Amino acid sequence: MFKFDTLRWRDGVLEMIDQRALPARVEYLKYDSAAAVADGIRSMVVRGAPAIGCAAAYGVALEAQRLIHKPRDAFLYGMEQGMTALAASRPTAVNLYWALNRMRAKLDNLRDATVPAAADALLAEAHAITGEDVRLNRQMGMHGAALLNDSSRVLTHCNAGALATAGHGTALGIVRSAVEAGKRVHVFANETRPFLQGARLTAWELQQDGIPVTLIADNAAGLLMRLGEIDAVIVGADRLAANGDVANKIGTYSVAVLARRHGIPFYVAVPISTIDPVMPSGACIPIEERAASEVTGYGRTQWAPSGVAVRNPVFDVTPAELVTALITERGVVFAPDRTKIRAHLAG
Amino acid sequence: MFKFDTLRWRDGVLEMIDQRALPARVEYLKYDSAAAVADGIRSMVVRGAPAIGCAAAYGVALEAQRLIHKPRDAFLYGMEQGMTALAASRPTAVNLYWALNRMRAKLDNLRDATVPAAADALLAEAHAITGEDVRLNRQMGMHGAALLNDSSRVLTHCNAGALATAGHGTALGIVRSAVEAGKRVHVFANETRPFLQGARLTAWELQQDGIPVTLIADNAAGLLMRLGEIDAVIVGADRLAANGDVANKIGTYSVAVLARRHGIPFYVAVPISTIDPVMPSGACIPIEERAASEVTGYGRTQWAPSGVAVRNPVFDVTPAELVTALITERGVVFAPDRTKIRAHLAG
């Protein structure tokens, strides 16, 4: 339903909607190299684990186009540098590494191809990753929608929507699929300080699709649960450890703890590519810290006193025991643990 | 230590520091009637339960000065109207009604006095309420400081500081008293969306006094607790029900739930005047909802999409079972319940 592309390939360049400007302005920025895409990821033009994966794949494809007239050795050396730059852009979302690994595997399989043939194949792979992302979000949406009753009031945190993916969304994809199946869903969107992805992106995205949405300060989630106004929580994930611990946007952990206290199901919409089977538990997931200015104000407005010390970790870890179920493109894993996740990945 | 007055009586008018302009500008606004003070409370020039009580008391005193040349009947009628306007300014903080009741009792006791004598006595009563507030905060500070170890890392929510009282503060008064007693205390200030009292007021107030403070997004509190970086939580209160349930700034409940999960003590600094012995439980405390614009942006900046639905409850209720101890000017009540609170009030 959502009519805006998060990213699109047009006239040989990658275009990404500038998510920092939303919802005030819908603007697409153009990218023609791995370094430029890495900068777009770092500066949060694009964000959301699956969308970052797609952007990184296109970054590799763009670098190959850029180096298409180089001799083979220079091409491979440049590709290595481009992938290193992309890998260094943000630390927490695992889809970045997943996509880079997949692009590298493709490149490794093209050892005998000409440089132009390799470049074409890498672009095809980036298109494939992006196309698959939309399809798997629709499958995830179908599995998740079955968990929602009619007239559900769903709390979400951050933006795990079409804007966080190549389309449809993960957490909001489940909402969209439920609505498509004829269920009424009302979304409560945590504004998601400090970067306000809920206020700026989730609220706007759902408005565009005519899905009822109410914006709240993150601090109001507990009161609404206590008043019996929330039936389920659905969030996305930036990385899922092998034991089911979930790294996601800062504040997700608070929502999970509150949901448990109130007996409200806490669902995590997570594509298989977001599961990191070599990460034993959430304690080892690197947590990005971003600039103090994200907390001391917004845009050109500063409201905190100058010189104040700030901590700005932008992800937290929700332990698996607080997760009612994982929802992937393959189905639903209730009360996830190491054994069930391993079986789900193998299945 | 804190050098700025929240409110002060100067040249026959009330001056209040404009807390909406802090920390960017230190400005005092002048008030000369009950209606003007009511407007100052409603628009949050002054906020914080004890400070609202002091402002309301001065509002009654100002109205008496304004009506000092009226005949007795007109004076009493005008006083009634002034007190009604003050009572309607904000619904949740009980100190407003406590101060108005105390001023009304004083007026009732002045039935035989001349109008000028009554007006003088009401001003003296407002001064008394304000002076007592500072003294009781120092007593509360002493009781609370004894609960803090040296090198404590204290999380607070909203601003229960000098700016929320006539001076010294409740929650931050405890921090100040601990520092005065030679203990090292590092405060983590939740920014406290949507009105950002933590970012704007608590951070600034502590900076002014040279007390170490780190500002965080409310969403980061859970992660810091999980990382073992918080030793205690201290918050203020807007109204305490007879059973120990605490109405305080929205988000306090989330902090309390997180503190319980992590075994971190959760202290509520609450003057006796904030205890509402006729309110049976927190479920009955009226919760103010404020304008959507507080959530959709800040100042002239709007970041949420136009027309989005918003819920903006600005207080929540923390059940007594999550409170490690109440700290009042009379001492400490561990694991507060109806019986202990009744005994504490009687003692």
Side-chain angles (χ1 to χ4, degrees), chain A residues 54-66:
Chain A
C54 295
Y58 277 120
V60 174
L62 283 165
E63 197 63 12
Q65 301 287 326
R66 205 172 71 81

Side-chain angles (χ1 to χ4, degrees), chain A residues 18 40 45 76 116 127 140 177 193 207 311 333:
Chain A
D18 186 351
V45 170
L76 289 175
H127 286 325
M140 190 188 303
S177 293
R193 280 282 295 156
Q207 253 189 348
R311 288 282 301 278
V333 182

Side-chain angles (χ1 to χ4, degrees), chain B:
Chain B
M1 303 191 273
F2 188 63
K3 68 183 176 192
F4 297 100
D5 292 316
T6 304
L7 26 66
R8 63 193 181 199
W9 185 259
R10 201 169 272 191
D11 303 329
V13 300
L14 174 67
E15 296 186 349
M16 299 200 290
I17 197 166
D18 186 350
Q19 302 202 27
R20 304 164 307 179
L22 292 174
R25 298 185 310 281
V26 176
E27 279 175 6
Y28 282 84
L29 302 181
K30 296 180 195 296
Y31 295 85
D32 62 2
S33 71
V37 173
D39 193 57
I41 295 170
R42 189 179 305 108
S43 63
M44 295 178 72
V45 170
V46 65
R47 30 64 54 198
I52 288 173
C54 295
Y58 277 120
V60 174
L62 284 165
E63 197 64 13
Q65 301 288 327
R66 206 173 70 82
L67 302 173
I68 204 164
H69 297 301
K70 297 276 182 189
R72 181 166 193 81
D73 282 359
F75 173 78
L76 289 175
Y77 179 73
M79 292 304 293
E80 208 56 51
Q81 286 194 306
M83 288 189 279
T84 302
L86 285 161
S89 59
R90 291 192 74 190
T92 304
V94 75
N95 304 61
L96 174 64
Y97 311 106
W98 172 87
L100 290 175
N101 286 341
R102 187 161 151 181
M103 295 300 281
R104 178 186 300 279
K106 177 58 87 177
L107 184 58
D108 289 348
N109 284 337
L110 292 162
R111 291 223 170 276
D112 300 328
T114 63
V115 165
D120 284 355
L122 288 171
L123 179 56
E125 189 71 358
H127 286 325
I129 286 172
T130 303
E132 285 165 26
D133 188 53
V134 180
R135 284 194 298 280
L136 72 85
N137 286 337
R138 290 201 160 272
Q139 289 163 357
M140 191 188 303
M142 192 190 64
H143 295 305
L147 299 173
L148 294 181
N149 295 323
D150 189 27
S151 301
S152 282
R153 296 159 300 177
V154 172
L155 177 71
T156 190
H157 190 73
C158 197
N159 173 269
L163 289 165
T165 65
H168 198 65
T170 56
L172 297 189
I174 291 169
V175 170
R176 284 197 169 88
S177 293
V179 170
E180 286 170 7
K183 290 178 180 173
R184 283 162 297 184
V185 181
H186 190 113
V187 176
F188 286 84
N190 265 359
E191 64 174 355
T192 318
R193 280 282 295 157
F195 212 66
L196 296 162
Q197 291 93 336
R200 297 191 300 106
L201 307 178
T202 295
W204 180 71
E205 197 185 306
L206 294 174
Q207 253 189 348
Q208 293 294 317
D209 281 5
I211 296 172
V213 56
T214 298
L215 175 64
I216 60 170
D218 306 304
N219 282 328
L223 177 68
L224 291 189
M225 289 187 190
R226 208 167 145 77
L227 294 174
E229 298 189 28
I230 304 294
D231 300 306
V233 176
I234 314 180
V235 297
D238 288 84
R239 189 184 305 215
L240 192 94
N243 70 340
D245 290 353
V246 182
N248 192 45
K249 183 55 52 197
I250 191 79
T252 301
Y253 175 52
S254 304
V255 176
V257 169
L258 287 165
R260 171 57 51 92
R261 180 175 171 90
H262 293 279
I264 296 167
F266 180 86
Y267 299 121
V268 180
V270 53
I272 298 289
S273 59
T274 304
I275 302 176
D276 185 356
V278 301
M279 182 64 67
S281 83
C284 316
I285 298 177
I287 299 294
E288 178 182 12
E289 295 232 6
R290 292 184 68 88
S293 58
E294 290 182 2
V295 178
T296 53
Y298 179 81
R300 263 169 247 150
T301 309
Q302 183 189 316
W303 50 65
S306 294
V308 69
V310 170
R311 286 283 299 279
N312 185 23
V314 300
F315 299 96
D316 61 24
V317 174
T318 298
E321 51 132 338
L322 295 177
V323 177
T324 306
L326 303 176
I327 304 161
T328 82
E329 62 268 39
R330 295 188 192 158
V332 179
V333 183
F334 286 97
D337 61 19
R338 197 177 302 274
T339 309
K340 289 182 191 170
I341 290 169
R342 196 185 298 125
H344 190 75
L345 287 175

Side-chain angles (χ1 to χ4, degrees), chain A residues 292-318:
Chain A
S293 58
E294 290 182 2
V295 177
T296 54
Y298 179 81
R300 264 169 246 152
T301 308
Q302 183 188 316
W303 50 65
S306 293
V308 70
V310 170
R311 288 282 301 278
N312 185 23
V314 300
F315 299 96
D316 61 22
V317 173
T318 298

